Amino acid sequence: MRVVLLGLFLFIHTFSFGHIGGVPVVPASIEIAGIKLKLTADAREEIQKDVNALRASEKYFQIKLDRVNLYFPIIERVLKEEGVPDEIKYLSIQESALISDAVSSADAVGYWQFKDFTAREVGLRVDSKIDERKNIVSATRGAAKYFKRNNFYFKNWIYAVSAYQAGAAGAKKYVDKENFGSDKLTITSKTHWYVLRFIAHVIAFQDEVGDPHSEGLRLLEHDKGAGKTLEQIAHEFKADHTTVADYNKWLAHGKIPDDKVYTVIIPFKGKAPKGFDKENERPLTRSIEAVEPVKYPDQIASDITKNQKAIFIKINGLEAVMAGAEDNVVSLALKCGISSTQLIKNNDLNPGEEVRSGEIYYVSSKRNRSAIRFHVAQYGESLWDISQKYGVKLKKLAQKNRMGMADSVKPGRLIWLRKTRSQHTPVEYHEVRKPEPIQKVKPRPVVVKEQVKENPPAEKIEPAFVEPDEKPEVEEKIVAKEAETPINKPPTSTPPSGDRLIHVVQAGETLWGISRLYEVSVNDINSWNNLNQGLPLSTGQELLIYNAVREKKSPVTEEKPAAVPESKPTADFHEVEPGESLWGISRKYNLTVEEVRSWNGLTAESTINPGQKLLIKPLEKEDEPSDPHTTHIVKGGDSLYKIAKTYDMTVQELMELNQMNSTAISVGDELKVKKR
């Protein structure tokens, strides 16, 4: 009898888990997200511990694997559409074990563990009715946006993984700038723990995923549920309402809104429910047609030399160059190794049109379509802007959307990038956030003083940026009248000795107006700066001025009441010029794009407009009492009792300080603790 029972047990055990292989051994090298990782011995030891823990119980591993095989087809498709490497999908297991309503002690929620404000940053709706963090399609698309944003900065998907946990600023201490854009990386035990754990999840699961769900369960995606309740949709497809509700916890109550497309997940076994729209049916297996991954922009083109002092990237499989501040059509064409005519043609430019600093221009002809399906137009975007962003010909983009090439694009409009919108399909709009206007500051000339002993060369002096207060109002004068002006002086053949300054030309200024401002002659300014008479000035051009009178014609400033003490300058601003980009502005002030966005409340989807004021220096804060608390990151083996004891606290104090309702903590959680 015992033999029979033992045999029966072995049969059941083999039938249930026989297809799962043994615990994998961490290799010395592995390729993830297109990067070859060399794992040192100490790193392999740390990663192996995590792999062993993940595979310790076959029963629980199988339960998790079932969930993985159920959701991965959806995750794989969304990541492919967004141009994110397939291996990033394993991070969803690490974050939530693919439990839709998983909540961390730091209040991160859902499949990809977003906090509410971060979720809104990547376009997810989070309110009392809808929480897209619990929607597998929306949450994965939001995660993809976050990854692409970080990869744009680090140009390294492994570093982008680190930034997913620590943020772009926090990840800087774990990264090496030498590896930005590299396809090789050495992983040691001192590598960010989050990355080590990610590699462990890849190794533990990669050979097991792809099988059908053990109970034959599959998921369908339904995108046409606007205005219906989950109960109505379940009835429509003859599905169990309770089960449908369990897979769609993102909808708290009521009907599905119509402000944008929300995907309803419908679980089923066997044949797909009758009436299911075949056009909406997504791939149900991992055999999705392979296409070239979209990398926007994340990869330095290897076959273009770096000594050309230009930033080359790859978009839609095409080589492209980012224009610098000093570039024009001719210089940019030379860097690309093509003619000016070809550059103009490749980028749908008009003859005589200037290139924009920070904008992307293509070395070869753009493609007829993008691997990405849609784009939601933002404020200030034109059809040309979108065509450059995705490497699609302007004419083809206009045709796909049944528009003219010169038509304006309304913010929020869904732009078709891959296929042509049917004439029977109405134009679709989504809600987009309008950039909040920043309070304008009146411009004044930017000046740099310098003492010069004798005949200095007219060298370029970098001015410290002072945001203008008010542009001096000037009138164009007839040149013939200049000789009658008493302040005109004979032009000097050599620059005089004494004080000199640099004037940065503002929009609308003329030589005559500048000469009046400093009480010097137009001829002097021409002579000191080797200017050709008759040529117009350019905004941002720097002019050398000698022995300028500053007392009488100093820039206009606002007077303050004598009783009010003079306040410290709290911030500097930059006024956006036509053609400028956040990238170009950040380089100008030696900042990161993330810093400029953070200080100005911008997101990755926000646009900037000419005349907009951007804060380029964080506002100074009044001295505040130092925070008596610091942060503790939960590690393996930690407990609330152990952490409390370490920081001379009680468990109760620790829970109250972190507003915790239970003693459950997870590795990687951040807890506020007393400073030691």
Side-chain angles (χ1 to χ4, degrees), residues 475-520:
E475 283 185 20
E476 287 290 345
K477 300 290 182 182
I478 300 174
V479 177
K481 289 187 177 180
E482 265 186 44
E484 303 172 6
T485 308
I487 64 169
N488 281 343
K489 303 173 184 177
T492 55
S493 57
T494 57
S497 59
D499 287 353
R500 69 174 179 176
L501 54 84
I502 299 293
H503 175 88
V504 180
V505 178
Q506 305 296 312
E509 284 189 315
T510 63
L511 271 178
W512 189 89
I514 296 169
S515 72
R516 295 289 296 168
L517 183 66
Y518 297 113
E519 295 192 4
V520 295

Side-chain angles (χ1 to χ4, degrees), residues 103-108 632-634 638-644 649-673:
V103 182
S104 75
S105 58
D107 285 332
H632 174 87
I633 298 177
V634 177
D638 275 352
S639 65
L640 280 185
Y641 174 77
K642 181 179 177 181
I643 297 169
M649 301 173 66
T650 66
V651 172
Q652 185 65 27
E653 287 175 334
L654 186 60
M655 292 181 68
E656 289 178 357
L657 185 59
N658 290 276
Q659 299 179 346
M660 298 172 65
N661 297 321
S662 74
T663 57
I665 55 175
S666 303
V667 173
D669 287 350
E670 296 181 1
L671 297 179
K672 188 181 287 188
V673 294

Side-chain angles (χ1 to χ4, degrees), residues 153-154 159 172 174-182 590 592:
Y153 176 75
F154 292 115
Y159 286 170
K172 287 181 181 178
Y174 301 111
V175 304
D176 182 352
K177 286 188 176 180
E178 294 296 321
N179 292 319
F180 285 18
S182 175
N590 196 26
T592 66

Side-chain angles (χ1 to χ4, degrees), residues 434-672:
K434 186 175 183 179
E436 294 181 5
I438 297 175
Q439 185 178 2
K440 293 192 175 182
V441 182
K442 299 176 183 178
R444 63 169 176 262
V446 181
V447 188
V448 174
K449 299 180 183 178
E450 185 182 19
Q451 293 292 329
V452 181
K453 293 183 179 178
E454 55 181 38
N455 298 339
E459 60 182 4
K460 182 178 178 180
I461 308 294
E462 277 298 329
F465 188 87
V466 179
E467 186 58 28
D469 238 7
E470 184 171 78
K471 214 180 288 178
E473 293 188 9
V474 296
E475 283 185 20
E476 287 290 345
K477 300 290 182 182
I478 300 174
V479 177
K481 289 187 177 180
E482 265 186 44
E484 303 172 6
T485 308
I487 64 169
N488 281 343
K489 303 173 184 177
T492 55
S493 57
T494 57
S497 59
D499 287 353
R500 69 174 179 176
L501 54 84
I502 299 293
H503 175 88
V504 180
V505 178
Q506 305 296 312
E509 284 189 315
T510 63
L511 271 178
W512 189 89
I514 296 169
S515 72
R516 295 289 296 168
L517 183 66
Y518 297 113
E519 295 192 4
V520 295
S521 73
V522 171
N523 290 333
D524 277 341
I525 298 176
N526 281 328
S527 175
W528 296 334
N529 294 277
N530 297 319
L531 300 178
N532 293 323
Q533 293 190 13
L535 291 180
L537 297 176
S538 303
T539 301
Q541 183 177 351
E542 297 173 357
L543 298 177
L544 195 61
I545 309 290
Y546 285 91
N547 294 325
V549 176
R550 301 180 183 84
E551 303 301 325
K552 297 179 181 179
K553 292 286 182 179
S554 58
V556 179
T557 56
E558 293 183 7
E559 295 185 1
K560 298 177 181 178
V564 180
E566 185 179 354
S567 61
K568 297 179 182 178
T570 55
D572 289 339
F573 292 88
H574 172 84
E575 182 174 355
V576 179
E577 298 289 344
E580 281 192 312
S581 66
L582 275 181
W583 185 90
I585 295 168
S586 68
R587 295 285 77 77
K588 187 172 184 178
Y589 299 105
N590 196 26
L591 301 169
T592 66
V593 173
E594 286 298 326
E595 286 173 331
V596 179
R597 282 182 180 147
S598 174
W599 296 340
N600 292 277
L602 303 176
T603 68
E605 288 74 31
S606 298
T607 58
I608 56 175
N609 303 305
Q612 184 176 344
K613 297 289 183 178
L614 294 179
L615 182 67
I616 60 164
K617 177 182 175 184
L619 295 171
E620 295 180 1
K621 296 181 179 179
E622 297 293 331
D623 292 337
E624 298 177 355
S626 59
D627 190 350
H629 302 108
T630 186
T631 301
H632 174 87
I633 298 177
V634 177
K635 303 178 182 65
D638 275 352
S639 65
L640 280 185
Y641 174 77
K642 181 179 177 181
I643 297 169
K645 187 176 179 181
T646 302
Y647 294 95
D648 194 24
M649 301 173 66
T650 66
V651 172
Q652 185 65 27
E653 287 175 334
L654 186 60
M655 292 181 68
E656 289 178 357
L657 185 59
N658 290 276
Q659 299 179 346
M660 298 172 65
N661 297 321
S662 74
T663 57
I665 55 175
S666 303
V667 173
D669 287 350
E670 296 181 1
L671 297 179
K672 188 181 287 188

